[in-house]
Amino acid sequence: MNILLVITNLPDRSAAEKMARDLVERRLAACVNLMAPCHSVYHWQGVIETADEVPVFIKTTSARYPALQQAILESHPYELPEIIAVPVTQGLGAYLDWINQQTGGASKLTDFA
């Protein structure tokens, strides 16, 4: 199983919660963490911009990533949303197995939900 940590940012907590619930309900993600708001500074269309955003950490599998990315693109309010997938190379085996199970993969363990 290939576990991924997918990172994106939303403009406010309401949008982040809506996306998180949708991704978990559709089993595109096992868990979504909404982080504390942050202040971002970035170049956009030739200008330095700033924005207050809510970082979101999404736990999924590489098998579910294409559908997850599509779901983010369809619901994200930004023209060009940050979507970064970081491979998880180590972690508690039972937790990684739970991610796989919750996103529709086979599991070696019993259902934790």
Side-chain angles (χ1 to χ4, degrees):
M1 93 186 93
N2 294 312
I3 304 298
L4 299 174
L5 173 63
V6 180
I7 303 166
T8 192
N9 287 295
L10 279 291
D12 56 55
R13 191 138 193 108
S14 176
E17 285 191 30
K18 182 178 180 200
M19 179 180 286
R21 182 166 295 279
D22 179 60
L23 296 176
V24 172
E25 284 177 352
R26 294 170 59 186
R27 296 214 180 251
L28 298 174
C31 176
V32 180
N33 301 117
L34 284 58
M35 309 307 287
C38 69
H39 188 73
S40 299
V41 180
Y42 53 94
H43 276 282
W44 181 246
Q45 299 180 345
V47 178
I48 295 178
E49 299 280 349
T50 64
D52 291 327
E53 299 180 297
V54 176
V56 177
F57 293 177
I58 305 162
K59 275 73 80 163
T60 192
T61 62
S62 57
R64 297 299 279 157
Y65 180 78
L68 173 83
Q69 178 179 285
Q70 188 59 40
I72 293 171
L73 288 171
E74 288 172 0
S75 66
H76 207 292
Y78 293 170
E79 182 180 342
L80 179 62
E82 171 186 9
I83 304 174
I84 297 172
V86 181
V88 175
T89 59
Q90 303 232 352
L92 179 64
Y95 182 76
L96 301 180
D97 190 54
W98 175 80
I99 293 171
N100 189 49
Q101 181 185 27
Q102 296 307 307
T103 56
S107 176
K108 295 178 250 173
L109 303 176
T110 59
D111 190 359
F112 294 98

